[in-house]
Amino acid sequence: MPKTYDAIIVGGGHNGLVCAAYLAKAGKKVLVLEKQHVLGGAASTDEPFPGFKFSLYSYVVSLFRPHIIRELDLPSHGLEIIPLECSFLPLPDGDSLCRWADPNLTRREIARFSQKDAEVYPEFGMAMMKMAYFVKRIIDAPAPDPLSNSPAELINLLRLGRYLSSFGPDVMYQQFKMLTMSAVDFLDEWFESDILKAPMSVSGIIGTFLGVRSPGTAYVLLHHYMGEIDGAFRAWGFAKGGTGGVSLACGSAARAFGAEIRTKAKVEKFIIKNGSCDGVVLENGEEIHAQSVFSCLDPHRTFFKMAGEEHFDDDFIRQLKRYKLRGSSGKVNLAVDRFPDFSCRPGDGAHVRGDIAIAPSIDYLERAYDEAKYGDFSRRPYINVVIPSLVDPSVAPPGKHVVSCFVQYAPYDIKEGPEHWPERKEAFGDAVVDTLAEYCPTLKDSILYRQIHTPWDMERDIGLTEGNIFQGELSLEQLLFLRPAVGWSRYRTPLKNLWVCGSAAHPGGGLMGSPGELAAKTYLGSLKGPQ
Amino acid sequence: MPVPTPFHSRTSECCTSLLYKDWAGYYAVRSYDTYPEREYFAIRHAAGLIDVTPLFKCEVYGAGAAAFLSQIMVRNIAKLKVGQVAYCCWCDGRGKVIDDGTVARIDDTYFRVTSNWPSVAWLSRFSRGVEVTIEDSTHNIGALAIQGPYSREVAKIVSDIDVGELGFFWTTPSRIDGVDVHISRTGYTGDLGYEIWVDKKYAVKVWDAVMSAGKGYGLLPAGLDAMDITRIEAGYLLNGVDYYNANHCIIESRKSTPYELGFGWMVKLKRGSFVGRDALVVEKSRGPQRLLVGLHIDWDEHAALFAEHGLPPEIASAAWRTSIPVYGESGEQIGYANSGTWSPILKKNLALATVKAPFGKEGSKLRFEVTVEYERRTVTATVVKKPFFDPERKRA
């Protein structure tokens, strides 16, 4: 059978498309296969209700690597990112806290709760930025492997060590603390006000099945400070037309470089002959052959479903079986017929043109986690709300709005069993709307359409096993050279010609594009000679 | 001291930052917020409403008006159809540019000229024996620009005519909330956009109607800082920043010809005499000695210089207007950039620069000065085609 393609990429999420674009740019003949009718996977936009465009799952852009934007010239392919202007925390007692782009305004806001916190806040930002700057170097390259004795690896580690020490002891101490502490403990070292710490701590739990007081969650806080949407360290943003805009721009770049992209093309199985992955079989029986196959799917799908356990040794399989997916979040998207007015700060304004956190206290967040620990969704969940239609009129008809709610916790493993999610789905949606309506009383009457994604739905619809939005928790034991398995963090797999390029690979999930980019670059480098 | 524009009672309500500047003797909002970002993104993704009243306006009318303006402008104004608008420049007798602006043919014998500097005196120099009246109307007319992808939707709602039919660089009389106005499909942002010209007595009424129509489309009042970013993305020059009015220059070398500024396409030499024509014939055959070009400043090199100091890349948060030296590859200074900005939509660092002609070819690699941690360094800047940003919707 002739090898038709140099590379087949299984999964048209943003990472698969970034990978495809880099490979095609290097002159490779590339085919991307996406099972859905739209590109993007977890980063897609669709119009399930006429006139309203929903960012189905992923809803803000912050970590997408600026050098990828430049190298693939994504702005010329339609990528437009509109910054979020504020972080708004409505409180049940009618008070609220806004953290604005304007540092003086923010200082005055925080000072209403703690003068000391208000003054420390920018210093905290500076310290986090320093650490983010350090982490950036790790994110933008394949993970260093401390277990390897190869001279190249040792030199790489030495360089990294020297780089880290150039930041001075303070940053190093903070960095080590950050890797081990809980988000709340870490914030306690800086701040005294619960009202400030609660909305800050939630960045540590996004997508994990941990609470804000669980050790290891401090590291994920850092991701908030990695936002580099404009090349300079910057805040978060909306992709114009919804998050799918990011994927569509990557797809357009890939096509412009010559890649072929097929949607509604569901891969059933990899073709494996003589210990080598030679192509894929589609659901309709079509066989497509290639020199290499890149899987953008999570490890469970890649190794257990698509390849088959029998092709891997016991140790590798054992590691993957322990790899934590356990989705913990859901998404509720609302189409509403009027402006969602928050009673603590009525009217339209910059405060609602950013992210809105329903996270009134640390205990509230911890209680939300308690329910999840014992197999239920949170009755009063943490909700991260955005209303992109306020800044991007292209996503809703005039005067109407899209309200996107990221909700935690919604554990995959509810006590009745995950297959019972469909029966609990509406109750979950009600809990979210009820919670939000306490702050936004007109909400319930204004809902024209409600879309609910539970972890169960995410598994079935976009193939995220257990509905984990990062294709595996971003906890320390699953990061760097440990992601997805010890010894296999370099995008290769034990199976010849099978590569991984999704969020399950280093540096992980969060709409970065890095796994796709680094997989492509590692592969292209390997063609030049032995590593 | 600057005076308020006819929209001041409304703009001042919105301008919580109190950031104003003096634009041609008027209080003009620089930025309604502390930072111009929100207004910039409104212009590029929704719609922005900009008070452009301070733009100088001059009414030119009479039986001889068309022929008269054709004598002064480098374009043949007599060829404009009623309702058409021309962007053009005008020169002194030596072919040096005085100013640039728009000329709108409102009816057969009635024109409106906009400019960066007052133009009545200059135009009047050539009016002896011509049947024409020239009047400054700057203080009588309020001007509002609605700019951005949803500007058409907003304009459609407020206006009694089908704005969708109005072509790029055309103007039409219309009514807004019972007030007579002119609407032109023009602007200074390089986006889809309209400008509304209204008697100052009814200015506030028109502002209110537009703001109310824009509610569903994310319309925001936008200040000059946001407009400045967009005009650089659009590659539009600013008289007094990127080049100078020939009448304001002490030394010859500060003056510019249309060919140097990239206005060569406007100059119609074959149509017979007009002010500066003879000099422009010579200039054209000789070729311009310098060129005003667009530069892409290399971001990776920029970031690398800051990384040497362990710093994230720093950049001005708004458009800048200081003169920055530009060098050739061998290190000699070959020009200067007088304005530039980080483009949030293109994710590129841009500048408008004047360089010696041999260095102005598209694709030329130049060196651009950057100050990094108090040190003067340089990074690569590539000459690229203008406009930097040119969405289809602008003309569609």
Side-chain angles (χ1 to χ4, degrees):
Chain A
M1 183 66 86
K3 303 269 186 189
T4 328
Y5 291 94
D6 292 316
I8 290 174
I9 286 142
V10 180
H14 69 288
N15 274 314
L17 296 165
V18 165
C19 183
Y22 274 102
L23 294 178
K25 192 182 175 190
K28 300 293 160 200
K29 196 161 183 250
V30 181
L31 171 69
V32 180
L33 298 169
E34 164 58 41
K35 73 167 180 169
Q36 297 274 69
H37 67 286
V38 284
L39 287 177
S44 58
T45 302
D46 205 2
E47 193 175 323
F49 186 68
F52 293 84
K53 288 185 188 146
F54 287 172
S55 292
L56 297 180
Y57 313 98
S58 170
Y59 57 100
V60 283
V61 187
S62 68
L63 300 167
F64 205 88
R65 310 306 300 147
H67 66 273
I68 299 178
I69 294 178
R70 285 195 296 282
E71 287 169 6
L72 301 180
D73 196 14
L74 297 180
S76 76
H77 292 283
L79 178 73
E80 293 182 25
I81 295 168
I82 314 169
L84 270 67
E85 291 171 28
C86 179
S87 288
F88 171 42
L89 174 82
L91 292 165
D93 64 0
D95 206 339
S96 60
L97 170 70
C98 279
R99 290 176 288 147
W100 313 90
D102 181 336
N104 292 318
L105 219 51
T106 304
R107 194 181 61 240
R108 283 197 292 271
E109 283 266 358
I110 299 174
R112 293 194 295 117
F113 303 98
S114 160
Q115 179 65 34
K116 280 189 208 151
D117 286 1
E119 291 176 20
V120 170
Y121 188 74
E123 291 167 22
F124 177 79
M126 192 72 82
M128 294 298 272
M129 205 185 75
K130 277 189 203 168
M131 280 186 276
Y133 201 59
F134 167 69
V135 170
K136 172 180 144 75
R137 179 124 164 189
I138 296 175
I139 281 184
D140 286 341
D145 187 355
L147 305 178
S148 165
N149 284 323
S150 93
E153 283 297 332
L154 291 172
I155 290 169
N156 188 20
L157 272 176
L158 198 69
R159 279 207 193 114
L160 205 61
R162 202 178 289 154
Y163 180 69
L164 174 58
S165 58
S166 76
F167 282 77
D170 290 351
V171 173
M172 281 176 69
Y173 294 148
Q174 293 288 353
Q175 189 75 48
F176 289 124
K177 279 185 175 176
M178 183 144 242
L179 291 174
T180 51
M181 291 176 94
S182 78
V184 169
D185 287 344
F186 187 78
L187 291 167
D188 278 343
E189 298 208 340
W190 291 81
F191 303 112
E192 57 186 19
S193 165
D194 203 52
I195 285 169
L196 178 62
K197 282 184 285 187
M200 289 177 82
S201 69
V202 288
S203 326
I205 54 162
I206 302 275
T208 69
F209 196 63
L210 293 168
V212 287
R213 291 200 177 105
S214 312
T217 50
Y219 172 77
V220 187
L221 279 182
L222 199 53
H223 274 213
H224 250 251
Y225 288 84
M226 289 293 303
E228 280 185 81
I229 58 169
D230 269 352
F233 281 83
R234 249 316 254 111
W236 293 48
F238 298 114
K240 184 178 162 72
T243 304
V246 176
S247 304
L248 295 180
C250 295
S252 163
R255 280 200 181 99
F257 290 124
E260 199 182 318
I261 299 174
R262 286 169 63 179
T263 51
K264 290 192 260 180
K266 186 180 178 190
V267 173
E268 192 63 36
K269 204 80 187 155
F270 296 156
I271 300 170
I272 297 166
K273 270 188 198 141
N274 307 322
S276 164
C277 190
D278 285 357
V280 301
V281 187
L282 300 189
E283 197 178 32
N284 63 11
E286 186 186 350
E287 288 192 12
I288 311 172
H289 290 258
Q291 295 280 359
S292 297
V293 172
F294 285 76
S295 173
C296 199
L297 314 177
D298 68 46
H300 274 240
R301 307 240 149 189
T302 301
F303 298 109
F304 302 153
K305 275 193 82 171
M306 295 293 172
E309 283 187 34
E310 64 278 16
H311 298 289
F312 305 94
D313 67 32
D314 292 346
D315 180 52
F316 185 73
I317 293 297
R318 253 200 313 275
Q319 281 196 58
L320 289 183
K321 287 207 163 150
R322 277 189 233 115
Y323 181 80
K324 283 182 286 193
L325 286 148
R326 50 180 205 183
S328 60
S329 57
K331 183 85 194 291
V332 174
N333 297 317
L334 305 172
V336 298
D337 68 4
R338 71 199 84 151
F339 169 73
D341 216 0
F342 282 79
S343 43
C344 63
R345 275 189 208 223
D348 187 1
H351 65 292
V352 280
R353 289 158 183 257
D355 83 298
I356 304 161
I358 303 301
S361 72
I362 287 166
D363 283 345
Y364 175 98
L365 296 168
E366 207 49 28
R367 269 196 287 275
Y369 179 46
D370 284 344
E371 286 171 294
K373 273 191 282 193
Y374 306 109
D376 208 346
F377 58 78
S378 316
R379 300 293 155 155
R380 287 286 173 275
Y382 158 60
I383 312 176
N384 194 210
V385 184
V386 293
I387 312 169
S389 45
L390 286 170
V391 291
D392 178 6
S394 72
V395 297
K400 300 187 168 59
H401 293 282
V402 164
V403 180
S404 152
C405 309
F406 170 87
V407 190
Q408 198 156 331
Y409 298 83
Y412 175 80
D413 254 321
I414 44 173
K415 54 180 179 281
E416 300 89 336
E419 68 280 9
H420 288 278
W421 256 117
E423 301 134 45
R424 306 289 316 278
K425 187 171 173 167
E426 292 304 322
F428 169 65
D430 290 342
V432 174
V433 171
D434 288 346
T435 304
L436 194 53
E438 287 173 18
Y439 303 86
C440 184
T442 57
L443 183 75
K444 278 190 190 172
D445 291 337
S446 69
I447 298 173
L448 299 170
Y449 176 77
R450 176 166 101 169
Q451 183 189 55
I452 305 166
H453 298 292
T454 69
W456 175 256
D457 300 315
M458 286 190 247
E459 179 174 78
R460 287 160 45 108
D461 297 342
I462 49 170
L464 289 174
T465 303
E466 297 187 19
N468 187 296
I469 60 171
F470 294 141
Q471 293 195 346
E473 262 183 16
L474 295 184
S475 47
L476 196 56
E477 73 278 15
Q478 301 197 155
L479 285 174
L480 302 167
F481 66 98
L482 304 168
R483 193 172 185 89
V486 175
W488 297 103
S489 68
R490 297 290 173 83
Y491 314 100
R492 283 177 189 276
T493 69
L495 188 62
K496 204 174 154 210
N497 297 329
L498 175 65
W499 297 71
V500 286
C501 64
S503 294
H506 172 77
L511 205 60
M512 282 190 274
S514 302
E517 175 222 3
L518 294 172
K521 286 181 176 172
T522 307
Y523 165 81
L524 293 167
S526 76
L527 301 179
K528 291 186 190 132
Q531 283 183 299
Chain B
M1 202 180 78
V3 296
T5 78
F7 302 102
H8 192 80
S9 62
R10 290 296 183 265
T11 55
S12 59
E13 274 172 16
C14 309
C15 186
T16 53
S17 68
L18 301 182
L19 289 169
Y20 289 88
K21 75 198 279 184
D22 180 341
W23 176 15
Y26 285 97
Y27 278 112
V29 176
R30 271 183 50 199
S31 167
Y32 288 87
D33 288 345
T34 320
Y35 302 109
E37 201 168 47
R38 193 155 80 106
E39 295 150 43
Y40 165 82
F41 281 103
I43 294 172
R44 286 292 183 236
H45 297 294
L49 184 63
I50 311 160
D51 178 2
V52 292
T53 303
L55 197 65
F56 284 96
K57 295 166 287 279
C58 167
E59 316 291 299
V60 180
Y61 56 91
F68 167 74
L69 284 170
S70 299
Q71 269 299 299
I72 298 168
M73 302 293 160
V74 299
R75 292 180 82 168
N76 190 356
I77 299 304
K79 279 176 94 177
L80 287 183
K81 298 189 177 81
V82 170
Q84 213 174 353
V85 185
Y87 174 54
C88 65
C89 69
W90 48 102
C91 297
D92 68 8
R94 292 164 196 250
K96 305 292 180 163
V97 178
I98 302 283
D99 207 344
D100 66 292
T102 58
V103 181
R105 187 163 204 167
I106 287 169
D107 72 34
D108 210 33
T109 59
Y110 195 107
F111 295 82
R112 181 172 293 148
V113 179
T114 66
S115 54
N116 297 286
W117 298 99
S119 52
V120 172
W122 179 256
L123 296 179
S124 302
R125 284 194 196 194
F126 308 96
S127 65
R128 189 161 52 96
V130 186
E131 202 182 315
V132 68
T133 306
I134 305 161
E135 282 168 6
D136 182 86
S137 56
T138 309
H139 301 291
N140 304 326
I141 298 175
L144 279 181
I146 317 176
Q147 303 280 303
Y150 286 86
S151 56
R152 181 178 289 151
E153 306 307 318
V154 179
K156 271 184 184 169
I157 294 176
V158 288
S159 156
D160 68 335
I161 51 139
D162 185 1
V163 172
E165 295 291 305
L166 190 63
F168 187 54
F169 269 84
W170 285 80
T171 183
T172 175
S174 169
R175 286 171 79 81
I176 291 178
D177 198 10
V179 177
D180 286 320
V181 299
H182 273 90
I183 298 180
S184 60
R185 182 143 164 221
T186 48
Y188 196 51
T189 63
D191 218 301
L192 173 65
Y194 300 85
E195 287 173 311
I196 300 170
W197 313 86
V198 57
D199 185 320
K200 67 175 177 191
K201 288 198 288 284
Y202 309 108
V204 168
K205 213 172 172 199
V206 169
W207 171 280
D208 290 343
V210 173
M211 281 303 288
S212 147
K215 258 191 186 148
Y217 296 97
L219 178 79
L220 285 182
L224 299 185
D225 285 359
M227 186 161 75
D228 211 19
I229 301 173
T230 61
R231 72 100 186 163
I232 294 168
E233 289 174 336
Y236 295 156
L237 306 187
L238 183 54
N239 188 342
V241 172
D242 299 299
Y243 78 97
Y244 299 98
N245 179 330
N247 287 340
H248 300 177
C249 295
I250 297 172
I251 51 174
E252 266 318 292
S253 61
R254 279 225 169 176
K255 301 178 182 175
S256 307
T257 70
Y259 296 104
E260 291 173 342
L261 299 180
F263 291 159
W265 63 270
M266 303 172 183
V267 184
K268 305 294 178 209
L269 292 172
K270 289 190 183 139
R271 67 180 170 90
S273 112
F274 60 90
V275 180
R277 180 183 174 271
D278 294 347
L280 291 173
V281 170
V282 176
E283 166 81 353
K284 193 185 180 186
S285 66
R286 185 188 61 154
Q289 299 300 294
R290 49 186 194 197
L291 293 169
L292 210 147
V293 297
L295 296 181
H296 271 173
I297 302 157
D298 190 286
W299 183 258
D300 290 322
E301 287 183 27
H302 181 95
L305 289 181
F306 282 88
E308 281 179 22
H309 293 275
L311 289 170
E314 289 166 12
I315 196 153
S317 63
W320 48 266
R321 294 182 175 184
T322 44
S323 193
I324 294 181
V326 177
Y327 304 92
E329 276 190 314
S330 53
E332 79 288 11
Q333 189 178 347
I334 51 91
Y336 48 87
N338 280 4
S339 52
T341 187
W342 169 258
S343 165
I345 197 158
L346 299 171
K347 308 253 175 272
K348 287 198 166 107
N349 198 9
L350 312 176
L352 293 169
T354 301
V355 298
K356 288 180 182 167
F359 295 89
K361 284 196 198 79
E362 229 178 283
S364 291
K365 299 278 181 200
L366 308 175
R367 306 291 302 169
F368 189 85
E369 190 171 289
V370 189
T371 302
V372 185
E373 204 52 14
Y374 315 110
E375 283 176 10
R376 287 181 182 179
R377 308 287 295 272
T378 62
V379 294
T380 302
T382 310
V383 175
V384 296
K385 214 170 160 173
K386 291 182 295 170
F388 301 106
F389 178 70
D390 195 15
E392 273 175 34
R393 60 184 182 248
K394 179 171 94 179
R395 287 162 209 277

